[in-house]
Amino acid sequence: MSTPTRTTASTPVVEVTDLYKSFGDLEVLTGIDLTIRKGEVVCVIGPSGSGKSTLLRCVNLLEVPTAGTVRIGEHEVTDPDVDIDRVRTHVGMVFQQFNLFPHLSVLANCTVAQRKVLKRSAAEAEKVARANLERVGLADKVDAYPAQLSGGQQQRVAIARSLSMDPELMLFDEPTSALDPELVGDVLTVMRKLAEEGMTMMVVTHEMAFAREVADRVMFMDGGVVVEEGHPDQVIGAPRERRTRDFLQRVLNPTHAAVGGGPDSDA
């Protein structure tokens, strides 16, 4: 399936230049360059341990790069003097695990950061939260608690919580990897809608069909480098690099893959 046509502006939202990240003697990222423009959806694919999640976490400075620069909009997040909390108010992040407050209702989970960080009134925060919960199909769950929801519903709440902060950029770190297969579809549907609405998104995923359908660009990473990058029909449909072809054969034809299995969490 071809990627839907969306208008993307020329304004860079994310600029990563010559990025390196090491954990002790282990070099996880080696000279990564990446630009994501306003309205663009970039999916990052690759085997476990390839550096995908580490790259995503470096963009939001949840991991501090060893070398190189990261800019989000007008802010260089790798500048030691940057107000990273201010930058993060413009960036939503959805993790593999849902990270909801178990003692708070769905509505409260979606309003607490609005009130504390954006200083919105309780009434305004509730209005925004309700609108975003409706956006993800959970308007009827405002009074529920996380333990009363399925994993897919919890992940949609996590997306609504991020959207309630009015982000300019959404980062998704394998948002469906912790879900039972039958719950994946609802989360991907929400993400498709966000893409159609023009949200700038960087998505680490092992959902190849989603990447091919939704992404403007796909990056295949292996061994801490970008092996191949381009339109999803090229990277997934007709990859040029052998490492890309080998990976896709394992993922798309798991019965022919070596024992040891499916994608896991990344380095």
Side-chain angles (χ1 to χ4, degrees):
M1 182 180 294
S2 296
T3 308
T5 302
R6 286 185 302 276
T7 301
T8 58
S10 59
T11 308
V13 175
V14 177
E15 293 178 278
V16 176
T17 306
D18 203 24
L19 188 72
Y20 288 77
K21 176 61 182 178
S22 298
F23 296 99
D25 294 332
L26 177 64
E27 192 167 73
V28 178
L29 298 175
T30 307
I32 303 292
D33 293 305
L34 167 67
T35 300
I36 302 176
R37 301 192 180 278
K38 185 174 176 59
E40 193 174 19
V41 177
V42 174
C43 284
V44 186
I45 64 173
S48 176
S50 60
K52 309 182 302 294
S53 292
T54 300
L55 172 59
L56 197 76
R57 292 172 67 84
C58 284
V59 168
N60 206 16
L61 215 64
L62 294 174
E63 297 287 355
V64 179
T66 305
T69 61
V70 177
R71 295 187 66 86
I72 296 179
E74 62 185 20
H75 304 283
E76 183 186 330
V77 302
T78 42
D79 182 337
D81 296 325
V82 72
D83 183 349
I84 191 60
D85 291 332
R86 181 182 173 196
V87 175
R88 285 182 182 144
T89 63
H90 303 290
V91 181
M93 185 151 184
V94 178
F95 299 87
Q96 296 176 36
Q97 302 299 328
F98 322 122
N99 294 340
L100 299 177
F101 294 112
H103 63 290
L104 296 181
S105 70
V106 164
L107 186 62
N109 264 283
C110 293
T111 58
V112 62
Q114 292 187 68
R115 291 187 288 106
K116 292 189 175 182
V117 177
L118 301 182
K119 307 302 182 185
R120 286 176 176 162
S121 68
E124 183 183 7
E126 181 174 331
K127 180 180 178 182
V128 170
R130 286 181 180 275
N132 283 302
L133 287 165
E134 183 168 354
R135 201 171 168 187
V136 302
L138 291 174
D140 61 335
K141 298 294 186 182
V142 291
D143 295 323
Y145 285 81
Q148 298 172 308
L149 304 178
S150 71
Q153 290 171 328
Q154 290 185 62
Q155 191 63 292
R156 284 187 282 154
V157 172
I159 294 172
R161 177 180 59 185
S162 289
L163 293 174
S164 295
M165 300 296 287
D166 298 331
E168 297 171 11
L169 168 69
M170 286 286 289
L171 305 176
F172 292 88
D173 187 6
E174 299 205 23
T176 61
S177 66
L179 302 180
D180 292 333
E182 66 270 20
L183 302 177
V184 168
D186 289 341
V187 173
L188 295 181
T189 295
V190 169
M191 294 171 65
R192 283 189 189 93
K193 285 172 57 180
L194 293 179
E196 290 166 2
E197 293 166 6
M199 175 63 73
T200 308
M201 297 163 59
M202 182 177 178
V203 184
V204 170
T205 184
H206 58 258
E207 301 286 347
M208 295 301 117
F210 171 83
R212 190 163 185 177
E213 177 187 348
V214 175
D216 296 291
R217 193 154 34 103
V218 171
M219 291 173 53
F220 170 66
M221 292 183 65
D222 194 12
V225 300
V226 177
V227 175
E228 189 164 356
E229 179 179 0
H231 191 278
D233 284 349
Q234 180 262 302
V235 176
I236 298 176
R240 299 188 184 100
E241 300 294 329
R242 172 148 188 194
R243 286 157 79 185
T244 316
R245 292 196 295 270
D246 289 347
F247 167 76
L248 289 169
Q249 184 174 23
R250 291 196 303 272
V251 171
L252 299 176
N253 302 291
T255 56
H256 297 107
V259 175
D264 328 300
S265 62
D266 198 6

